[in-house]
Amino acid sequence: MKNKKIILGSRGSKLALIYAEKAREKILNHSKDFGIEEVIIKEIVTKGDQVHDKRLSEVGGKGLFSKTIEIELLEKKNRHSCARVKRHAF
């Protein structure tokens, strides 16, 4: 079986990196089954991470934290990405 390296894209926030590390551990738990040799977490700086002097709604609102990650996936800079899913009570 071919040895594989997986690049897992994640925002660089503390919470995002915690989730990425949990995903990394889960993948490594099954690494022998799939020939995975290494899992690297690549920190991605999004537009939302770069804006500090304006309200996010003024800069573009939706997609500020996910668009860069999605573009990197489409351009195959990352094969996988990890994101936290927010749960809302209704």
Side-chain angles (χ1 to χ4, degrees), residues 1-85:
M1 197 177 291
K2 184 179 169 185
N3 288 331
K4 297 178 186 174
K5 175 175 77 172
I6 291 180
I7 299 173
L8 182 63
S10 173
R11 286 185 55 230
S13 71
K14 286 182 183 181
L15 185 58
L17 291 173
I18 289 170
Y19 278 92
E21 184 58 39
K22 287 179 182 280
R24 180 182 174 275
E25 289 171 8
K26 295 274 187 190
I27 294 167
L28 288 173
N29 286 340
H30 299 284
S31 61
K32 291 181 184 176
D33 299 334
F34 298 99
I36 298 167
E37 188 175 272
E38 184 178 16
V39 179
I40 298 169
I41 297 173
K42 177 185 174 191
E43 291 184 35
I44 300 170
V45 178
T46 65
K47 188 171 183 179
D49 294 319
Q50 295 172 342
V51 176
H52 299 285
D53 60 340
K54 296 179 183 176
R55 300 179 106 196
L56 296 176
S57 60
E58 294 173 8
V59 179
K62 190 175 180 179
L64 289 175
F65 293 99
S66 60
K67 189 171 185 175
T68 306
I69 295 170
E70 291 170 1
I71 289 170
E72 289 211 6
L73 283 169
L74 290 171
E75 292 176 350
K76 298 184 183 337
K77 292 180 181 177
N78 300 317
R79 297 271 320 250
H80 309 279
S81 65
C82 183
R84 177 177 157 253
V85 177

